[in-house]
């Protein structure tokens, strides 16, 4: 199969592996953590097949080598994500994660404490309390967020934003309404959807954009190449359902968590089912509008 130039990819970066690997070795492999909310957090469950702990690789400005895939190549569907990939695993402090079975209610103030308190209509003081923890735990239990320890982390807050946006993701009017299809990318809320006029065609869905130093570029773009089975030859990394819109930056699926608080290296990472659906909604030449700024960048 012919293959394009290396692009960014979105496999999960982990700064500590919950005693599976030494913390020092994980840090040495991934470099210093990105600043911002959640950068010091790790998944609240031990590693499994849905969290392969692969290392991200940087996005590049140059566009990939564009070509027309053969019918045989396009007939091959990217492999499905392993079972459990899309489970909502909260990112928690290492000390909580290491003793996850013993932590029933976290006493720690999470990086999204104020936002979560406001969403739950609690007193907004940015400080964890027993009552706060009970309310957060109830929400986490209802929506299957694990561990349900009451920690106000990035996954809990991201799911709250998704729920709020489902009826009308463009309620604030930040994505321009046009007569043609526009894929809207809200970096602040880490949500993306497609609309035509005021009608939402797809989404909203959670996403992962570029980290500090590798921001996803903002403004108007067009999808200039779709490559269902794109593969990085340099880093031996799959980028299923790639849709390039700005140099090497593309929408594409990942086989890890889109909630990794460290962010991607520039691409818009999507869950595999979401990337597959977006692939069927858009065409080459469709417009993309990116705005806002991801927390910590």
């Amino acid at each position: 199969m012919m293959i394009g130039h290396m692009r960014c990819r979105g496999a999960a970066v982990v700064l500590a592996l919950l005693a599976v690997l030494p913390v020092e070795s994980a840090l040495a492999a991934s470099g210093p953590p990105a600043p911002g909310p959640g950068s010091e957090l790790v998944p609240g469950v031990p590693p499994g097949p849905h969290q392969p702990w692969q290392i991200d690789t940087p996005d590049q400005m140059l566009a990939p080598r564009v070509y027309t895939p053969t019918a045989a190549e396009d007939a091959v569907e990217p492999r499905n994500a392993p079972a459990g990939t899309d489970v909502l695993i909260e990112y928690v402090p290492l000390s909580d994660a290491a003793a996850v079975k013993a932590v029933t209610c976290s006493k720690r103030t999470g990086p999204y404490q104020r936002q979560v308190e406001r969403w739950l209509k609690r007193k907004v003081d940015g400080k964890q309390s027993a009552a706060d923890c009970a309310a957060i735990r109830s929400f986490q239990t209802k929506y299957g967020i694990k561990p349900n320890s009451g920690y106000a982390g990035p996954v809990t807050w991201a799911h709250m934003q998704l729920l709020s946006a489902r009826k009308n993701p463009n309620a604030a009017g930040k994505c321009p309404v046009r007569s043609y299809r526009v894929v809207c990318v809200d970096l602040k809320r880490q949500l993306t959807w497609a609309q035509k006029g005021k009608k939402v065609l797809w989404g909203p869905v959670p996403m992962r954009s570029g980290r500090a130093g590798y921001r996803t570029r903002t403004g108007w773009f067009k999808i200039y190449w779709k490559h269902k089975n794109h593969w990085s030859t340099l880093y031996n990394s799959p980028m299923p359902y790639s849709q390039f819109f700005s140099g090497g930056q593309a929408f594409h699926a990942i086989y890890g968590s889109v909630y990794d608080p460290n962010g991607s290296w520039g691409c818009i990472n999507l869950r595999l089912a979401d990337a597959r659906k977006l692939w069927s909604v858009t065409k080459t030449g469709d417009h993309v509008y990116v705005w806002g700024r991801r927390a910590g960048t």
Side-chain angles (χ1 to χ4, degrees):
M1 178 178 72
M2 297 181 67
I3 29 188
H5 190 62
M6 158 58 199
R7 304 297 92 210
C8 65
R9 80 178 219 269
V13 172
V14 173
L15 304 181
L17 303 187
L18 312 184
V20 175
L21 291 175
V23 173
E24 292 79 9
S25 66
L27 289 173
S30 62
S39 62
E40 77 287 358
L41 306 180
V42 298
V45 296
H50 58 289
Q51 291 170 323
W53 311 135
Q54 295 171 334
I55 302 302
D56 282 319
T57 52
D59 165 67
Q60 302 194 3
M61 291 289 290
L62 296 177
R65 181 171 58 87
V66 176
Y67 69 95
T68 302
T70 64
E73 179 183 341
D74 269 352
V76 177
E77 289 295 325
R79 64 181 173 86
N80 290 326
T85 298
D86 296 332
V87 172
L88 296 174
I89 304 298
E90 184 58 274
Y91 284 73
V92 302
L94 180 60
S95 58
D96 280 7
V100 65
K101 291 183 179 180
V103 176
T104 55
C105 200
S106 178
K107 297 180 180 179
R108 294 177 179 270
T109 296
Y112 295 93
Q113 189 76 32
R114 288 182 177 275
Q115 295 94 317
V116 169
E117 289 170 345
R118 186 174 294 109
W119 199 92
L120 291 172
K121 295 181 171 57
R122 299 196 52 76
K123 178 183 177 181
V124 181
D125 59 8
K127 297 179 181 179
Q128 178 78 311
S129 67
D132 286 339
C133 185
I136 298 169
R137 285 194 74 191
S138 178
F139 175 86
Q140 291 170 334
T141 301
K142 179 178 180 179
Y143 292 101
I145 300 172
K146 302 177 182 180
N148 59 341
S149 62
Y151 184 77
V155 177
T156 299
W157 174 232
H159 198 64
M160 288 177 172
Q161 291 190 100
L162 177 62
L163 292 174
S164 296
R166 276 181 172 167
K167 287 186 178 180
N168 185 7
N170 201 32
K174 296 293 182 68
C175 190
V177 174
R178 297 290 188 268
S179 60
Y180 45 79
R181 276 190 301 270
V182 178
V183 183
C184 306
V185 181
D186 185 341
L187 299 180
K188 182 178 180 180
R189 292 187 295 171
Q190 292 290 282
L191 295 173
T192 187
W193 66 92
Q195 63 186 36
K196 184 176 182 181
K198 294 183 178 180
K199 182 180 180 180
V200 176
L201 305 175
W202 167 83
V205 301
M207 59 174 231
R208 185 174 74 146
S209 65
R211 63 182 65 191
Y214 298 90
R215 295 178 189 166
T216 302
R217 293 181 279 277
T218 57
W220 279 104
F221 306 95
K222 285 186 178 181
I223 295 173
Y224 68 86
W225 189 42
K226 298 178 62 167
H227 191 196
K228 183 187 295 183
N229 291 290
H230 196 74
W231 190 278
S232 160
T233 55
L234 183 59
Y235 293 97
N236 195 30
S237 169
M239 293 173 59
Y241 302 104
S242 285
Q243 301 194 59
F244 291 91
F245 60 86
S246 175
Q249 295 187 349
F251 299 100
H252 69 84
I254 58 172
Y255 289 108
S257 173
V258 297
Y259 297 106
D260 177 1
N262 293 293
S264 76
W265 292 92
C267 283
I268 301 298
N269 300 157
L270 300 170
R271 296 175 298 191
L272 190 122
D274 294 334
R276 180 183 289 140
K277 180 62 177 177
L278 178 62
W279 178 272
S280 69
V281 169
T282 56
K283 296 181 179 179
T284 302
D286 278 350
H287 292 74
V288 176
Y289 185 71
V290 185
W291 76 97
R293 188 163 178 174
R294 186 178 188 273
T297 64

